[in-house]
Amino acid sequence: MARDLVAMVDGFATPGPRHWRARRARARSEAWLGRLVEDVREGAAAAPAGSALDVVVRHRDVDGRLLDPHTAAIELLNVIRPTAAVCWFVAYAGHALHRRPDIRERLREDDDAGYAVAFAHELRRFYPFAPFLGGRAVTDLEWRGEPIPSGALILLDLYGQNHDPDLWNDPYTFEPRRFLDRPPQRDELVPQGGGDRATGHRCPGEDVTIALLSALVPRLARLAYDVPEQDPRIPLNRMPGRVRSGFVIEGVRVPASARRSERAAS
Ligand code: HEM
């Protein structure tokens, strides 16, 4: 399942073998989740109360009908797949911590939750994931004096905006402190889309992403591990972005101080 989820994220908006691998992984996952939905409804499998599975299995549409198993599987996958995508940013976090031991030291401190959130924002700003989003104008409109005819294709340059020197001081420097005193404004930081998520298509999983990263990254910072020789470059013409060697770590050890922090956190 993990391999299939990664294949689906890695094949996003890209032609060729990665795309075909993603399609096969998607078909397999949908079939598996569809069967799971049927099993839960027939009492052959359990869905933990309040889990995504539980909510989707019991959801009724406007006509009061349960979702058919295939649609339910797609809805479930729409939650599980992007949650797995957060591992891309965890790999980027490994890259960032390796380059900036000073930042890693600060993240090891026990009760600096604000810094961990600022780090999560800076990860999402600095590292490439989806480079741009496309959409079609549904009507004739005008934006900052520019006429846009109905049907025109409009691209939102996510990476460009997240590195725009008019918005960000020193945009090509990785610096979580920029978000410490000033959380990002709605349409400044747009790695997961812009606008209002309640009325538009902005990613509804942004808070989940930030929560996962700010929980996982301090744990990663506290682990002891070796970083073997590898290719740390991140080509900007690959979609989704990725460290060339995937950011490999070896010989993972859990220091006693990290175990103490985990016990305190739990
Ligand atoms: C690596 C982390 C993530 C990235 C980079 C990301 C990025 C995006 C982007 C760029 C969009 C399209 C926004 C638009 O069209 O304006 C999107 C939409 C979406 N995301 Fe995420 N996302 C992430 C994590 C999540 C998580 C954790 C969830 C749910 C648990 C999630 C659920 C969704 C859904 C359901 C949509 C479709 C929204 C719609 O079309 O109305 N995403 N995401």
Side-chain angles (χ1 to χ4, degrees), residues 78-79 82-83 85-86 89 129-130 133 158 191-194 200-205 208-209:
N78 283 345
V79 174
T83 305
V86 177
F89 281 122
F129 193 98
L133 292 173
L158 304 181
Q192 293 173 241
H201 285 287
R202 188 188 188 117
C203 177
V208 176
T209 306

Side-chain angles (χ1 to χ4, degrees), residues 92-107:
Y92 280 149
H95 188 270
L97 297 181
H98 187 57
R99 293 171 78 218
R100 293 289 303 274
D102 56 320
I103 292 179
R104 184 171 181 187
E105 201 45 54
R106 179 145 186 197
L107 279 164

